[in-house]
Amino acid sequence: MILVNNIKIPLGAPEEAAVDKALRQLSLRPGEVRESWVSKSSLDARNQRHMQMVCTVALRLAGDEARRAASLTARRAVWKQEQPFEVKKGRIPLPGPVVIAGFGPAGMFAADLLAREGYRPLVLERGYPVEERVRAVERFWKEGVLDPACNVQFGAGGAGTFSDGKLTTRINDPLCSYVLERFGSLGAPQETLRRQRPHIGTDLLRQVVSRMGEEICRNGGEIRYRCRLAGLETENGVLKGVRTDDGPLAASQLILAVGHSARDTFRMLLESGAAMESKPFSVGVRIEHNQSLIDRGLYGAMAGHPALPPGEYQFSHRENGRAVYTFCMCPGGLVVPAASEEGQVVTNGMSEYRRDRDNANAALAVSVDAGDFGGGVLDGMAFQQQLEQRAFRMAGETYRAPGATVGHFLEGRTGLSLKTVTPSYALGLEPVDFDRLFPPQITGMLRTGLRVFDRKLHGFASEDAVLTGVETRTSSPVRVLRGEDYEAVGLRGLYPCGEGAGYAGGIMSAAVDGVRVALRIMEQYAPAE
């Protein structure tokens, strides 16, 4: 196809205007084009008085497209030879079942591809199917009754099911297109997938997860809910089977896609002799503003224009070898209780597809490493738990969350003086001294970040913005080591995969990692008989 980049059209103009402009730029007549569409679009709001949509237009030409492309590239067009998605299958018979532990993005996409290609994967998911999971989560949010087996972290779709459903990623991998197309085929909105920052929203993502599970089973796979991976059976460094809460199972290949909160699994892996290491991650709080304040800061007098999306931001700052940054920004969303273990408080952010709630929220996070929590493999995990348990105790041991308004926090005082921002955390906030909750290197960088980011977005550090703690599940605190063949170091047949194993950071990169691991297994073995 021909890609024509940097096509600018007025805010609110139809996509056809971008296509027409691209054709004029290349001096092409409509009869010379077989197909045309806007493949990507983003908002340029740098000049608040003259905001524009910046589009990439894709064209398929009649005739010899490759030959014609040479003459068009001088006019800011790029010819992109489309690479078909190919699956190479080995001839060696599978010595046993392919088992996948975890049904988050990595496990879902691995299972989906394996099932469609005839490998009959068996998925083990400790949590519940989508509808039952929603009921368990909503009961926790309303009554404070936590189900450790099924919550915001565990269950069909993984932690992403109760998030904004962001499909942005920093990786530049051809498989991203495959993942987006697969999301689209399962019901994700096509117009969203074409945006620079695509998102699905938790409400629509739940439907996508259900449909993918149905397709996996229809294609010969199996999903066993309420079934936790409890141990490994190995012989001479080769996987022979797995232990579950329901008993032992044969397994020749195990895709470990358990997510970043499977702490019991990390302990089991270490006891089983898996090669692991601790890794840096980040901790902090959720910061919550009125969405209207964010919109005014980004759009100025144009805020409220019907063609403008809810405003988003992304900030970062480094100082003395440490980073503070915003993460997982949820426009028009909620701060949600996200604990997965009793006696701990964890927060996360969530938005529906329409992003039409009153508040915007984001993680305000500070990087931590072995200098903060120690050099042991599981020391980072222990550091997370200590913060979560301390938050639970300081907020009254009821799953209420520690809270503070930014004005009080910047002054080093305890206080929750609510004015224009009504906190959305369902179980309520308790005013606490964040300097007693976090180590000083964390609170110091949080204060630095607030002041620095306020210079980038006026009002970010407004005195009545609300901080809710604690945000600890930003990424996995461990990495399960694997080689270039994706197999675990020292253990044949085990494939550490996705965010929990330390190889992804979000829905897209985890899904891509799951696809890559599935492709590797299929390269070696023939489909199940």
Side-chain angles (χ1 to χ4, degrees):
M1 69 177 77
I2 303 289
L3 295 179
V4 192
N5 298 308
N6 204 34
I7 299 296
K8 297 179 180 179
I9 58 175
L11 183 67
E15 290 189 346
E16 289 79 4
V19 173
D20 291 343
K21 191 171 181 179
L23 295 180
R24 289 196 304 272
Q25 180 176 303
L26 300 183
S27 299
L28 290 171
R29 296 185 300 275
E32 299 176 272
V33 179
R34 289 190 294 115
E35 191 176 0
S36 60
W37 69 98
V38 173
S39 64
K40 198 68 83 174
S41 66
S42 62
L43 174 69
D44 182 357
R46 290 173 295 179
N47 184 341
Q48 293 182 345
R49 296 182 179 180
H50 186 58
M51 285 187 270
Q52 304 176 92
M53 297 302 297
V54 182
C55 304
T56 296
V57 175
L59 308 171
R60 288 198 176 98
L61 303 184
D64 188 344
E65 186 176 77
R67 181 182 62 79
R68 299 202 60 193
S71 64
L72 297 175
T73 52
R75 305 180 196 177
R76 291 184 297 174
V78 177
W79 184 55
K80 180 182 178 182
Q81 188 169 4
E82 296 178 85
Q83 299 294 324
F85 179 74
E86 294 182 341
V87 174
K88 298 178 181 178
K89 298 180 182 178
R91 296 184 178 181
I92 301 173
L94 272 169
V98 178
V99 175
I100 300 170
F103 198 54
M108 285 168 49
F109 273 81
D112 176 62
L113 182 56
L114 287 164
R116 287 192 291 129
E117 297 296 333
Y119 287 79
R120 299 178 189 169
L122 169 60
V123 180
L124 309 178
E125 169 53 56
R126 70 168 69 198
Y128 309 161
V130 171
E131 290 186 3
E132 293 180 59
R133 184 183 182 193
V134 169
R135 288 196 292 271
V137 168
E138 289 183 347
R139 185 184 183 203
F140 177 48
W141 290 352
K142 291 176 181 177
E143 304 174 25
V145 178
L146 176 69
D147 185 341
C150 188
N151 42 65
V152 167
Q153 309 296 342
F154 301 139
T161 302
F162 292 90
S163 71
D164 187 54
K166 291 180 183 64
L167 302 183
T168 51
T169 180
R170 294 181 180 179
I171 66 172
N172 184 18
D173 193 303
L175 287 176
C176 289
S177 296
Y178 166 82
V179 170
L180 286 174
E181 289 171 5
R182 193 74 185 113
F183 271 123
S185 70
L186 293 165
Q190 293 294 331
E191 68 275 10
T192 296
L193 300 181
R194 293 197 296 267
R195 291 175 186 163
Q196 190 69 25
R197 296 179 178 178
H199 86 283
I200 300 177
T202 186
D203 47 344
L204 300 189
L205 185 56
R206 295 172 191 174
Q207 300 173 29
V208 171
V209 170
S210 290
R211 291 180 187 128
M212 182 170 275
E214 291 167 0
E215 285 215 9
I216 289 168
C217 296
R218 190 159 50 244
N219 289 322
E222 181 184 354
I223 305 171
R224 294 188 188 177
Y225 292 103
R226 297 178 174 83
C227 189
R228 181 181 64 97
L229 175 69
L232 308 179
E233 298 290 347
T234 64
E235 184 178 311
N236 299 321
V238 179
L239 182 76
K240 295 297 182 181
V242 298
R243 296 191 300 277
T244 77
D245 291 339
D246 296 336
L249 293 171
S252 66
Q253 321 292 311
L254 172 63
I255 299 177
L256 186 75
V258 293
H260 57 38
S261 296
R263 292 166 172 169
D264 51 356
T265 306
F266 297 151
R267 295 188 194 98
M268 177 273 290
L269 290 169
L270 192 62
E271 293 169 0
S272 299
M276 300 169 64
E277 64 183 13
S278 68
K279 60 178 280 294
F281 55 101
S282 302
V283 298
V285 295
R286 281 270 152 185
I287 184 166
E288 198 164 17
H289 305 87
N290 285 133
Q291 181 65 51
S292 58
L293 180 143
I294 302 301
D295 293 345
R296 288 195 303 273
L298 294 173
Y299 301 145
M302 292 291 288
H305 190 290
L308 286 171
E312 296 182 68
Y313 58 78
Q314 184 175 341
F315 303 130
S316 64
H317 174 72
R318 291 194 67 86
E319 191 172 291
N320 300 322
R322 196 182 295 274
V324 57
Y325 62 100
T326 61
F327 168 78
C328 185
M329 195 266 164
C330 297
L334 304 169
V335 177
V336 298
S340 57
E341 298 175 67
E342 294 178 338
Q344 300 175 13
V345 167
V346 182
T347 63
N348 195 18
M350 184 184 87
S351 295
E352 289 101 355
Y353 171 66
R354 293 179 61 86
R355 290 177 162 177
D356 56 1
R357 303 273 184 161
D358 291 338
N359 292 350
N361 74 80
L364 181 63
V366 176
S367 60
V368 292
D369 57 25
D372 299 292
F373 50 72
V377 171
L378 301 183
D379 284 356
M381 185 179 83
F383 182 71
Q384 287 178 326
Q385 289 178 298
Q386 290 162 11
L387 287 175
E388 294 163 11
Q389 290 165 353
R390 191 178 304 148
F392 181 76
R393 292 193 301 271
M394 291 179 68
E397 301 187 352
T398 61
Y399 294 106
R400 288 169 66 85
T405 37
V406 166
H408 285 80
F409 174 66
L410 287 176
E411 295 171 0
R413 297 187 294 123
T414 301
L416 195 61
S417 299
L418 301 179
K419 296 178 181 177
T420 65
V421 181
T422 301
S424 60
Y425 184 87
L427 294 170
L429 304 187
E430 189 71 24
V432 304
D433 181 356
F434 276 31
D435 288 301
R436 290 179 51 229
L437 176 57
F438 291 106
Q441 66 269 28
I442 305 300
T443 51
M445 281 300 284
L446 289 174
R447 290 186 172 104
T448 296
L450 285 165
R451 294 185 176 108
V452 170
F453 302 157
D454 190 67
R455 294 196 291 269
K456 299 180 179 181
L457 177 62
H458 180 67
F460 188 84
S462 57
E463 65 175 13
D464 65 337
V466 175
L467 304 177
T468 305
V470 291
E471 177 86 18
T472 51
R473 311 290 178 90
T474 53
S475 66
S476 181
V478 302
R479 179 174 289 112
V480 186
L481 302 184
R482 70 185 187 189
E484 293 184 1
D485 59 0
Y486 299 95
E487 285 191 279
V489 172
L491 184 51
R492 294 278 309 279
L494 176 66
Y495 295 83
C497 180
E499 191 165 344
Y503 295 98
I507 292 174
M508 279 294 292
S509 56
V512 166
D513 203 49
V515 172
R516 288 219 169 274
V517 169
L519 289 170
R520 173 60 183 165
I521 291 173
M522 291 188 290
E523 281 180 8
Q524 300 177 78
Y525 298 104
E529 295 182 358

